[in-house]
Each structure stands twice: as C-alpha cells, then as structure tokens.
Amino acid sequence: MNPPRPPGLLDRTLTAGAALTSAAALVVALAVAPPDALQGQAQRLMYVHVPAAWLAYACFAVVLVASVAYLLRRDLRWDRRAQAAGELGVGMTALAIVLGSLWGRPVWGTWWVWDPRLVTTVVLLLVYAGYLSVRGLGDDRATGARRAAAVGILGFVNVPVVHFSVVWWRTLHQPATVLSPDPAPMDGRMALALLLSVLAFSLAGWLVVRRRVRILAERDGGPAPQEPPPGAPLVVRAGTRS
C-alpha cells in the first residue's frame, strides 16, 4: 500500500482558511450578532442552515458543468469532479433539511409541514440521490458516467425551483434572505455572521471535493491530480495533457 501523500499548498491553504473563517463565524454568530426580535435564539440556526443550502446549490452547479464537460470530452476526470460534488451536495441538502426542521419546531410549532420549499427540497435530495445511484447500474464505467451526466444535467432544473419556491407560491417558509428579487433588510452583524459562515462552508466544501476527487482517481486506477512541491521547477512535456 502506498503511503498517504502529504497535502499540497492549495489543500493547506483551504484548510487554514476554513479553520479561520469557521472560528470567526462562530464568534460573530454566537457573541456579536444579536438574537432575532421575533424568533429569538432559534434564529441562530440560520448561520448553518443557509450555508448548507448554499453549498448544496454550488455543488449541484458543479455537477451541471462537469457533466456537460464529460459528455463533450468523455474525460473521466470531469465525471469524478461531478461525482464528488454530487456526494457533498446530497449531504448538504440533507443537513439543510434537518436544520430547517430543528429551526421550524420552535418557530412554526412543528417539525414538518407540506410547504412548497420543504417539499421541493426533499425532491431535490431524491433527484441527486438518484444521480448517485445510477452510477452503479451495470458494470461499464463509461456507461454509468454517461447516465449520471444526463441525470446531473436534468436534475439541475430543480435548483431554481427550490430557490424561488418562496416567491412563486404561498409558503410558510420565510423569503430568501439573499439572492432574492426583494431581499429583506438584515442587521449588519447578522449579515457578517452569515457571510463568514457561507465562506467557511465554501472553503471546507472545496477541500472535501478535492480530496474526494483524488480518492476516486485512485479507485479508477488513474493518477490522482498532484501539485508540485514548493520550489520545484515546472516541467512541460510536449504532447501531454495537464
């Protein structure tokens, strides 16, 4: 068995950035930002609920782009990026649903309601769980990748449906705080806590996807993407692809 490869410069930078922004977000969210005037302390769940949903959206956008790239180039590196992002996106969607339920219990008085936002989010989770499942149908690696790419492209239609469900239909869920046609005003300290949390989730998610892509590359038997050690000369070979 080969020894584990030490993390590269970008991985170390992402790790440090995620740790620093997570610590800053924790301090601002718990000690600086005030509780909501109506929802009280339960509103602080927004600082993990919204970033989890945001990261899920971002992951599914990566799935879309990487799936299109795979169908155009038939390069498994794009499929591995799509799979890694899809796995993280499914996890973040499930986390957003659980956190939303925990938030809804003290604010709405119930764990679950048949609300357009909640229902469309569960549908989104099922679609991308299906995206991951179709990979295992059959023994041919390329066929599974093509099927997954098709589902990954079509599945992205659900993302704007989920996001704008609070605008298109009558819903108990509060309107979107950001990325909304009519954004609600927010206390500056709350906005800072939310911004730091989104940044921390994004950096950590990027790191997780990079590491998962390397694991998938080793499973496929191909060389994992590597970074040159600091100070190493850059060698370019004619006729090879990066």
Side-chain angles (χ1 to χ4, degrees):
M1 178 179 294
N2 295 327
R5 188 163 53 85
L9 176 61
L10 182 54
D11 283 347
R12 294 197 298 272
T13 302
L14 290 174
T15 301
L20 290 174
T21 52
S22 296
L26 189 64
V27 171
V28 176
L30 296 181
V32 177
D36 184 79
L38 298 177
Q39 302 181 16
Q41 299 293 343
Q43 172 270 335
R44 296 187 194 277
L45 283 167
M46 176 183 73
Y47 304 127
V48 282
H49 172 73
V50 173
W54 149 254
L55 184 54
Y57 287 173
C59 286
F60 297 146
V62 172
V63 172
L64 171 67
V65 173
S67 296
V68 171
Y70 173 74
L71 292 180
L72 292 176
R73 306 185 66 174
R74 302 303 168 98
D75 186 335
L76 285 176
R77 288 178 297 183
W78 287 109
D79 178 66
R80 291 192 286 266
R81 291 163 184 155
Q83 180 177 348
E87 291 172 350
L88 182 60
V90 167
M92 288 297 104
T93 304
L95 178 62
I97 292 173
V98 171
L99 292 171
S101 180
L102 294 175
W103 190 359
R105 182 66 179 88
V107 175
W108 297 344
T110 181
W111 300 103
W112 170 267
V113 292
W114 293 98
D115 179 90
R117 168 58 70 86
L118 275 65
V119 172
T120 54
T121 304
V122 170
V123 171
L124 183 72
L125 175 65
L126 296 176
V127 166
Y128 280 93
Y131 162 80
L132 297 176
S133 299
V134 298
R135 296 180 165 278
L137 300 178
D139 297 329
D140 183 69
R141 176 73 174 86
T143 301
R146 287 197 301 274
R147 289 171 177 165
V151 176
I153 294 170
L154 295 175
F156 192 77
V157 173
N158 289 276
V159 173
V161 173
V162 172
H163 185 72
F164 290 106
S165 60
V166 293
V167 177
W168 295 340
W169 297 295
R170 294 174 61 86
T171 174
L172 185 61
H173 193 284
Q174 69 185 57
T177 306
V178 294
L179 300 178
S180 169
D182 186 19
M186 182 186 297
D187 183 282
R189 293 163 293 179
M190 293 180 176
L192 177 60
L194 183 59
L195 176 63
L196 289 169
S197 299
V198 168
L199 185 57
F201 268 69
S202 300
L203 293 174
W206 187 0
L207 179 65
V208 169
V209 169
R210 280 178 54 82
R211 293 189 174 182
R212 179 59 176 157
V213 166
R214 283 199 291 270
I215 292 173
L216 293 173
E218 292 170 358
R219 189 190 66 181
D220 284 341
Q226 297 185 4
E227 295 180 32
L234 178 63
V235 179
V236 178
R237 297 182 177 87
T240 60
R241 294 186 302 180
S242 60

